[in-house]
């Protein structure tokens, strides 16, 4: 008996190594050298850099560094393939995606082993998670291909898409990007990460075996410089990037004003919140998955463990006990929990962070795990005694390092969780569903998992808020990112700005009393600078004066808009009432507004006013009808995709249709719960200044709409640079759009640079879902059910 007890106590795991020979055979078939995959064939290999197995440092293959010419020829090939790919029916495109999904499944072990030796992640994870999920993405999108035209009406494929992916989930990130792009009718040039290109190359070869037409998918290998060539190339229509916030910012800057669509999936510092009523043992397993899955090299890793003070001591000891049982070792061993980090550079980066953590006063705890003698291995690590200001609580380590902090109330938990520049994901553990959902609604993150973590599915969107980027991957939300509204092609060169450039607006020194003021925080206020500008009518007469807004006016307006954030919390029905009231009050003054427009433009304003009333009415109706959806998630989970307001909006109005365009941009933004700082038309600002009274008499809470008149080219950059502005829409000329997108890099604002000269009176173009979609960001909330 004793012997058996002892045996159980000492039970050692034997090695359970996966056979890696199929992957090595495939590499040998290629003589361990690879060119790029362009126009359906390999280019002559360059032997420029090596792909290594991080578990033992051995060289797996030599790869080619993509040059400017390589990127150019890949983009040409994608461009050439575009029209024939788009001329296929959705059903035919779906067949290719379906065949690719089957091909991934048929070769799943080969993919899993190749990924494991190239990246260092455990075979258990590549086999059970990365590869099946990659296949799932192709199946899911094979189904979207025939549906996309009907389900996303009024949209068309974006065109040629450049895609850049990181090294942590090489095949899965490829699937997340390539499957929706092809399903939506685009062609692709993808650059995998320098450390982990091999599964992308295998994928290219196998997709060709499925008959995928040449040029539809092109893979160019290389480092960040190759990525930069792809970003800077003029002939792509969209860039989709997953990687660090730092590089994401560079890409935002490089593409600013180019008219290219852009989605950024960036870093995170995700909170993992454990309340005192949580099922502690499940939560401990959640922690293991949250931070030690994939060696912590996960963008949404739950790297900040926030535990309610009353259970913190017990919980910490449970986590430590569990850490002691984690096994780190050969990634090919089916019984290990953590494999190798991707590269010695990443290992040193993590070691550096741990040293900083200790220097700043954190207490480091590591279990005594046996690490292999060679290779890039690091033990599971827990830090306590960490403050919010510490580097480890703020910076993304991208490794197996967890910080534990405590909170007392759920208010404090929410504040701590949101105390980061990122907003990718969060995990909440509580047996009280009311509490969990309440906290979920307050978290500023794109994904929230309740009593679970790291749940992904092709049918559900994934992506961040704030500096974790914008755009979604997966589900209907992700598909939108690969389509473009027909009306929303490049901003129009002949945009309205030309109109006001020609006009002369003499600075006036007349008494300030006759000047229309600004509208900030629900009050009419004088412009800070005390200057005004004359408003000249159609026939050249002076119609009046408006304030010349400056930097300070914009700052005050943003502050007012930020303090009005309660607007996002009130019910949609209440917001609808306010918009209906606005419509009613505008209608009551329609004669006056029509006259104002007529004196500015020389055209009767009656129709424009009526259209503006209808538009307000229409968005009042939309308030409680632009709904989220419930995704078809894996069994036992409900995934709620909830459109949420983005925050403070900057809106730069076009010149023409001064009233209607202003209303068309303003009303979807406020209907969805955002607050707004708006710069109206320069040529016809009186339509906006007269609108103050409509706002003031329609129960619009102070600060929800703020209007600053003046020069758009001076005021728009201030809005774009302001860190409390979360999104900016500009219906103006290309040059101003360029400036705005460049300056919005600081806090990675969501920007929409669109045509000013659209036909605002046409309700198919001037209003609708496209506006509402852009006025919201989707939070995917995962709620498990069952025992
Ligand atoms: P990087 O941003 O360094 O690299 C990502 C990709 O961009 C790589 O292919 C890289 O090439 C390339 N690249 C680097 N510099 C440039 C440049 N100037 N222009 C264009 N492309 C460039 O990130 P990592 O690969 O280090 O990945 C880790 C980061 O990715 C983490 O911050 C993580 O949070 C984030 N991530 C986010 C995810 C999400 O969905 N939100 C998912 C996975 C990771 P090279 O390989 O040569 O470096």
């Amino acid at each position: 008996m004793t012997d058996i007890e002892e045996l159980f106590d000492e039970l050692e795991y034997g090695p359970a190594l996966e056979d890696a020979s199929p992957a090595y055979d495939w590499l040998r078939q290629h003589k361990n050298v690879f060119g790029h995959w362009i126009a359906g064939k390999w280019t002559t290999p360059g032997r420029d850099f090596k792909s290594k197995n991080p578990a033992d440092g051995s060289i797996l293959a030599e790869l080619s560094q993509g040059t400017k010419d390589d990127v150019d020829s890949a983009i040409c090939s994608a461009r050439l393939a575009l029209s024939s790919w788009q001329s296929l029916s959705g059903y035919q495109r779906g067949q290719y995606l379906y065949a690719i999904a089957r091909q991934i499944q048929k070769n799943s072990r080969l993919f899993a082993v190749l990924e494991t030796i190239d990246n260092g992640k455990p075979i258990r994870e590549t086999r059970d998670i990365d590869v099946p999920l990659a296949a799932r993405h192709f199946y899911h999108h094979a189904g979207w291909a025939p549906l996309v035209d009907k389900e996303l009406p009024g949209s068309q494929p974006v065109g040629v898409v450049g895609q850049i992916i990181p090294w942590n989930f090489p095949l899965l990130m490829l699937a997340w990007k390539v499957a929706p792009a092809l399903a939506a009718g685009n062609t692709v040039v993808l650059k995998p990460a320098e450390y982990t290109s091999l599964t992308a190359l295998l994928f290219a070869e196998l997709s060709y075996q499925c008959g995928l037409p040449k040029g539809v998918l092109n893979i160019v290998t290389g480092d960040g410089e190759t990525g930069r060539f792809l970003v800077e190339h003029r002939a792509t229509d969209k860039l989709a990037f997953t990687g660090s916030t730092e590089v994401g910012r560079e890409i935002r800057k490089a593409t600013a004003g180019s008219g290219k669509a852009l989605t950024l999936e960036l870093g995170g510092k995700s909170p993992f919140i454990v309340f005192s009523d949580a099922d502690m043992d499940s939560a401990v397993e959640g922690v293991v998955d949250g931070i030690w899955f994939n060696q912590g090299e996960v963008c949404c890793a739950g790297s900040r463990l926030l535990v309610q003070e009353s259970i913190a001591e017990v919980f910490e000891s449970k986590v430590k006990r569990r850490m002691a049982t984690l096994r780190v070792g050969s990634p090919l061993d089916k019984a290990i929990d953590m494999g190798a980090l991707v590269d010695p550079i990443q290992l040193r980066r993590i070691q550096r962070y741990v040293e900083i953590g200790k220097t700043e006063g954190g207490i480091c705890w590591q279990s005594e795990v046996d690490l292999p003698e060679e290779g890039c291995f690091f033990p599971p690590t827990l830090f306590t005694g960490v403050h919010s200001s510490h580097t480890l609580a703020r910076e993304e380590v991208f490794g197996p390092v967890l910080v534990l902090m405590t909170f007392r109330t759920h208010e404090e938990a929410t504040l701590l969780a949101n105390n980061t520049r990122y907003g990718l994901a969060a995990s909440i553990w509580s047996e009280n569903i009311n509490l969990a959902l309440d906290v979920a609604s307050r978290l500023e993150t794109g994904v929230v998992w309740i009593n679970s973590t790291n749940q992904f599915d092709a049918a559900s969107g994934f992506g961040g808020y704030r500096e974790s980027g914008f755009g979604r991957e997966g589900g209907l939300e992700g598909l939108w990112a690969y389509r473009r509204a027909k009306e929303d092609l490049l901003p129009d060169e002949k945009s309205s700005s030309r109109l006001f450039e020609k006009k002369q607006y003499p600075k006036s020194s007349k008494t300030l009393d006759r000047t229309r003021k600004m509208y900030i925080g629900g009050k009419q206020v004088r412009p800070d600078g005390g200057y005004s500008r004359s408003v000249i009518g159609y026939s050249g007469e002076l119609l009046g004066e408006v304030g010349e807004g400056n930097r300070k006016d914009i700052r005050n307006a943003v502050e007012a808009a930020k303090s009005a954030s309660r607007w996002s919390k009130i019910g949609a029905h209440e917001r609808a009432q306010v918009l209906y009231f606005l419509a009613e009050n505008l209608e009551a003054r329609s004669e006056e507004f029509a006259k104002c427009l007529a004196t500015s433009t020389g055209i009767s304003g009656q129709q424009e006013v009526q259209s503006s009333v209808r538009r307000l009415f229409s968005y009042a109706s939309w308030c409680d009808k632009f709904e989220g959806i419930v995704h078809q998630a894996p069994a036992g989970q409900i995934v709620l995709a909830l459109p949420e307001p983005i925050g403070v909006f900057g809106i730069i109005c076009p010149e023409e249709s001064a009233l209607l365009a202003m209303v068309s941009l303003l009303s979807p933004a406020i209907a969805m719960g955002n607050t707004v700082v708006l710069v109206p038309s320069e040529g016809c600002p009186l339509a906006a200044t007269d609108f103050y009274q409509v706002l003031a008499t329609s129960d619009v809470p102070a600060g929800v709409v703020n209007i600053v008149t003046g020069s758009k080219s001076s005021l728009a950059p201030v809005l774009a640079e302001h860190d409390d502005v979360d999104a900016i829409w500009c219906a103006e000329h290309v040059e101003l759009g360029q400036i705005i997108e460049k300056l919005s890099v600081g806090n990675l604002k969501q920007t929409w640079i669109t045509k000013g000269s659209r036909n605002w009176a046409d309700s198919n173009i001037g209003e609708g879902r496209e506006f509402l979609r852009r006025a919201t960001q989707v939070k995917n909330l995962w709620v498990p059910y069952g025992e």
Side-chain angles (χ1 to χ4, degrees), residues 164-165 167-168 191 194 223-224 243-244 250 266-267 299 396 398:
I164 300 175
I165 55 174
W167 42 256
N168 56 345
K191 188 202 90 68
E194 181 188 0
D223 62 9
S244 59
E250 272 183 49
L266 308 176
C299 51
E396 183 180 39
F398 221 55

Side-chain angles (χ1 to χ4, degrees), residues 296-355:
E297 296 167 329
V298 181
C299 51
C300 51
S303 54
R304 287 186 297 145
L305 173 58
L306 311 178
V307 185
Q308 196 148 20
E309 208 170 85
S310 53
I311 57 157
E313 215 177 298
V314 181
F315 196 77
E316 183 184 328
S317 67
K318 279 179 180 276
V319 169
K320 285 180 175 165
R321 204 175 321 141
R322 182 67 177 90
M323 283 170 78
T325 66
L326 292 174
R327 304 182 71 231
V328 184
S330 166
L332 285 169
D333 187 336
K334 288 169 231 167
I336 60 111
D337 298 295
M338 272 173 48
L341 298 166
V342 74
D343 191 84
I345 292 181
Q346 184 66 7
L347 176 60
R348 285 197 289 278
R349 176 185 144 112
I350 293 165
Q351 287 165 337
R352 227 175 14 252
Y353 269 120
V354 167
E355 284 318 305

Side-chain angles (χ1 to χ4, degrees), residues 164-169 173 176 191-195 222-229 231 241-248 250-251 264-268 297-300 346 349 396 398 422 424 462-464 468 473:
I164 300 175
I165 55 174
W167 42 256
N168 56 345
F169 292 92
M173 289 296 110
W176 281 25
K191 188 202 90 68
E194 181 188 0
Y195 297 147
D223 62 9
E225 200 186 11
T226 307
R228 203 171 294 122
F229 294 145
V231 168
F241 171 79
T242 297
S244 59
T245 296
E246 192 191 354
V247 175
E250 272 183 49
I251 294 177
L264 299 173
E265 299 287 353
L266 308 176
E297 296 167 329
V298 181
C299 51
C300 51
Q346 184 66 7
R349 176 185 144 112
E396 183 180 39
F398 221 55
Y422 296 112
L424 193 52
F462 182 87
S468 290
E473 294 194 316

Side-chain angles (χ1 to χ4, degrees), residues 43-152:
T43 61
T44 312
R47 289 181 183 270
D48 300 309
F49 66 98
K50 298 177 174 61
S51 201
K52 293 186 189 155
N53 180 343
D56 59 15
S58 61
I59 294 168
L60 298 171
E62 290 180 279
L63 305 178
S64 308
Q65 165 73 15
T67 62
K68 224 176 192 162
D69 286 347
D70 296 326
V71 170
D72 192 54
S73 79
I75 291 174
C76 274
S77 137
R79 178 69 57 200
L80 282 173
L82 191 60
S83 61
S84 52
W85 182 242
Q86 289 180 351
S87 67
L88 297 179
S89 67
Y91 171 75
Q92 286 168 312
R93 284 200 298 273
Q95 293 298 296
Y96 285 114
L97 289 160
Y98 182 79
I100 291 173
R102 299 277 298 139
Q103 192 76 307
I104 294 176
Q105 278 184 325
K106 277 192 284 181
N107 293 279
S108 58
R109 208 42 81 91
L110 171 58
F111 271 115
V113 173
L114 189 63
E115 194 80 302
T116 283
I117 60 177
D118 200 21
N119 169 280
K121 58 171 72 192
I123 186 73
R124 195 165 48 86
E125 292 176 6
T126 50
R127 184 197 61 197
D128 298 345
I129 298 168
D130 297 54
V131 177
L133 263 180
R136 160 89 179 116
H137 269 265
F138 279 95
Y139 279 126
H140 180 75
H141 287 95
W144 269 124
L147 300 177
V148 67
D149 287 330
K150 279 199 197 112
E151 292 299 309
L152 274 55

Side-chain angles (χ1 to χ4, degrees), residues 156 485-497 652-656 661 664-665 729-734 752-760 765-766 771 774:
Q156 61 189 30
K486 289 191 176 119
E487 253 318 292
D488 201 24
L489 298 173
L490 278 180
D492 191 349
E493 292 283 351
K494 294 192 287 301
S495 173
S496 50
S497 57
I652 313 296
C653 295
E655 282 307 293
E656 67 275 281
S664 303
L665 293 164
W729 289 357
C730 173
E732 252 308 328
H733 58 108
V734 178
W752 186 22
I753 310 300
T754 184
K755 279 182 177 178
S757 56
R758 62 173 70 207
N759 180 2
W760 294 100
I765 295 170
F771 289 78
R774 289 184 182 270

